């Protein structure tokens, strides 16, 4: 039995939890508890993580500020080409915003490894940690691990993902509305250069996105109904590559699978509240959204950045002070609600179950494409 005291204990060392730990490390005694083994970066030519994210300029700025950017082999999105299911088209170009790129593409594993590397020696990492129980008391929270260690802190942060154990232990309800869709992800080598263009098709059978990776490589997310997701997973690599190439109109010529397909359930999710006495929720533990705009992890970095700023301005105070946590909740509410509403609205507008909206949605894409100021406003919001 051993006991360790900290100011802040973060449960979950994924991208969001690790970024918060790094942002807090200069000012607080921080423990990071992660149940999986430490992430290992991979530089191997054929070894690409199939969880690839579009990281917004705002998130890149936050990560650079805390010393966690850049990861190895990032890719860049300099243009976006969005196609509707009935002739609608919408294009975005970094040049219109006078920026170099609209977003970066990174592998989950390589960004996580770069954050963990930066954390070394700055915070106490308990990994792999098997949490057994938690007690919230008036002035502290105690986390008991299976190996007999107790971690005591004045604030606990749940960064343990959509199925958050800590959120559940605290009795915070999570409203989850499944989309009856799953996200199929895989990486491919492409015959023709992608030109740093992210491509997205709103199709009758779901939403297909090609994200550019370095070299002639792309990562895809195909959000589609459960039956088609199962069917895609059952295909041989050659059949999958042919199907994905055809669904994208052979825009990049023939495709070859680099990383086999994996599948994720998709749901709109929201915790009833993002704080409770001595507890804050961040990242997917607090909210989940449809991946069509590639904003899930960016919302999580927004949580980490805001919570870190609030706590780092309160050095010397109790980090579990309810007034600080309530300020965090207020500061994030609007951004999270807006992003959830936009993504949910787009998903419903382009849902295959709503064929009657076909004309309207394609007209809408074309109208936005030709409406200079509106398009600019949209770009400023989407690529912040
Ligand atoms: C198909 C798909 C595509 C996506 N594409 C994008 C995209 O392009 N851009 C984007 O911004 N977002 C995207 N997202 C969303 C993104 O995956 C999530 O928003 C992001 O991973 C959330 O990060 P997180 O750190 O909050 O949670 P997670 O990544 O889930 O990390 C949680 C961590 O907590 C650990 N953990 C869990 N339970 C415990 C426990 N009991 N004790 C200790 N540790 C624990 C886990 O091992 C993990 O390391 C996509 C999602 C899906 C499903």
């Amino acid at each position: 039995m051993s006991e360790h005291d900290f100011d802040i204990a973060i449960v979950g060392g994924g991208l969001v939890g690790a970024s918060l730990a790094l942002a807090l490390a200069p000012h607080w005694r921080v423990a990071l508890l992660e149940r999986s083994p430490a992430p290992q970066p991979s530089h191997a030519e054929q070894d690409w993580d199939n969880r690839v994210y579009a990281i917004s300029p705002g998130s890149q700025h936050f990560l650079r500020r805390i010393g966690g950017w850049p990861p190895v082999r990032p890719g860049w999105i300099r243009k976006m080409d969005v196609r509707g299911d009935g002739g609608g088209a919408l294009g975005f170009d970094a040049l219109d915003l006078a920026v170099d790129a609209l977003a970066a593409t990174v592998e989950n594993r390589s960004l996580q490894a770069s954050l963990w590397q930066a954390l070394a020696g700055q915070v106490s990492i308990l990994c792999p940690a098997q949490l057994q129980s938690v007690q919230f008391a008036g002035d502290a929270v105690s986390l008991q691990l299976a190996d007999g260690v107790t971690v005591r802190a004045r604030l606990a942060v749940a960064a343990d993902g959509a199925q958050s154990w800590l959120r559940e232990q605290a009795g915070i309800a999570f409203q989850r509305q499944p989309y009856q869709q799953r996200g199929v992800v895989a990486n491919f080598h492409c015959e023709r250069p992608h030109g740093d263009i992210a491509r997205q098709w709103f199709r009758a059978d779901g939403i297909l996105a090609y994200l550019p990776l370095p070299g002639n490589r792309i990562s895809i997310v195909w959000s589609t109904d459960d039956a088609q997701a199962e069917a895609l997973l059952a295909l041989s690599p050659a059949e999958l590559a042919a199907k994905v190439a055809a669904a994208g109109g052979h825009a990049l010529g023939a495709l070859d699978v680099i990383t086999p397909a994996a599948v994720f359930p998709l749901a709109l999710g929201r915790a009833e509240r993002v704080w409770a006495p001595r507890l804050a929720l961040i990242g997917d533990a607090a909210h989940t959204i449809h991946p069509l705009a590639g904003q899930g992890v960016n919302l999580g970095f927004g949580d980490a950045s805001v919570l870190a700023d609030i706590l780092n301005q309160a050095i010397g105070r109790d980090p579990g002070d309810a007034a600080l946590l309530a300020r965090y909740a207020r500061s994030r509410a609007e951004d999270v609600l807006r992003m959830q509403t936009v993504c949910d609205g787009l998903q419903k507008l382009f849902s295959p179950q709503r064929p009657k909206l076909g004309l309207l949605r394609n007209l809408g894409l074309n109208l936005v494409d030709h409406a200079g100021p509106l398009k600019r406003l949209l770009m400023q919001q989407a690529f912040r």
Side-chain angles (χ1 to χ4, degrees), residues 218-296:
I218 54 164
S219 179
I220 70 138
V221 183
W222 196 338
S223 310
T224 187
D225 65 53
D226 295 345
Q228 160 122 323
E230 285 299 330
L232 289 172
L233 277 189
L235 295 176
S236 71
E239 288 168 334
L240 178 70
K243 181 114 186 156
V244 171
H250 299 282
L252 302 176
L255 301 179
D256 280 311
V257 173
I258 307 173
T259 320
V263 70
F264 296 89
L266 305 180
L268 175 69
R270 179 192 296 260
E272 184 184 36
R273 50 191 310 201
V274 298
W275 75 278
R278 306 249 156 236
L279 175 67
L281 271 49
I282 62 172
D284 276 20
H287 41 69
T288 59
I289 60 174
H290 196 282
L292 65 85
Q295 290 296 331

Side-chain angles (χ1 to χ4, degrees), residues 54-348:
I55 305 293
S56 69
S59 297
Q60 290 168 46
H61 176 74
F62 165 60
L63 294 169
R64 195 172 292 115
R65 185 159 61 90
I66 61 176
W69 186 267
V72 295
R73 59 185 189 191
W76 300 98
I77 299 176
R78 302 192 202 278
K79 291 185 186 173
M80 264 197 90
D81 182 349
V82 182
R83 301 288 163 135
D85 53 354
L90 177 59
F92 300 108
D93 191 327
L95 289 178
D96 294 341
L97 286 183
V99 293
D100 191 43
L102 297 171
T105 55
V106 301
E107 296 158 89
N108 180 75
R109 188 178 52 200
S110 81
L111 183 52
Q112 195 189 6
S114 115
L115 289 167
W116 276 53
Q117 235 164 34
L119 282 172
Q122 295 206 61
V123 311
S124 299
I125 298 181
L126 289 84
C127 161
Q130 206 186 328
L131 281 151
Q132 280 197 320
S133 59
V134 57
Q135 277 97 40
F136 294 94
D139 60 348
V141 45
S142 296
L143 295 150
Q144 284 82 35
L145 278 69
D147 59 5
V149 168
T150 296
V151 169
R152 214 175 24 228
R154 292 196 290 162
L155 172 68
V157 178
D160 49 349
Q163 313 289 333
S164 174
W165 171 86
L166 188 52
R167 181 187 69 216
E168 195 177 312
Q169 296 297 308
I172 298 180
F174 193 71
Q175 269 182 13
R176 191 172 180 278
Q177 297 169 30
Y179 278 116
Q180 316 299 348
Q181 276 192 336
R182 286 192 252 169
V184 177
V185 294
N187 298 334
F188 297 86
H189 181 272
C190 43
E191 189 186 8
R192 289 205 285 273
H194 49 57
D196 293 338
I197 301 171
R199 296 171 167 83
Q200 191 164 37
W201 294 268
F202 287 90
R203 295 167 45 85
D205 60 0
I207 304 166
L208 172 64
Y210 284 9
L211 293 177
L213 290 173
N216 276 13
R217 297 182 190 86
I218 54 164
S219 179
I220 70 138
V221 183
W222 196 338
S223 310
T224 187
D225 65 53
D226 295 345
Q228 160 122 323
E230 285 299 330
L232 289 172
L233 277 189
L235 295 176
S236 71
E239 288 168 334
L240 178 70
K243 181 114 186 156
V244 171
H250 299 282
L252 302 176
L255 301 179
D256 280 311
V257 173
I258 307 173
T259 320
V263 70
F264 296 89
L266 305 180
L268 175 69
R270 179 192 296 260
E272 184 184 36
R273 50 191 310 201
V274 298
W275 75 278
R278 306 249 156 236
L279 175 67
L281 271 49
I282 62 172
D284 276 20
H287 41 69
T288 59
I289 60 174
H290 196 282
L292 65 85
Q295 290 296 331
V297 83
N298 291 306
L299 263 192
F301 285 136
D303 297 345
S305 167
V306 166
L307 182 57
D309 284 350
I310 289 172
L311 293 174
N312 288 343
Q313 283 160 18
I315 301 162
R317 280 174 66 180
D318 175 358
D321 183 336
L324 297 175
L325 302 180
R327 192 186 310 160
Y328 158 67
R330 276 197 308 277
S331 307
R332 290 304 292 151
E334 195 187 316
D335 254 15
V336 172
L337 182 64
R338 189 178 42 218
M339 194 53 80
Q340 286 196 314
T341 309
V342 168
C343 293
D344 192 48
L346 279 173
Q347 195 277 336
K348 291 199 162 61

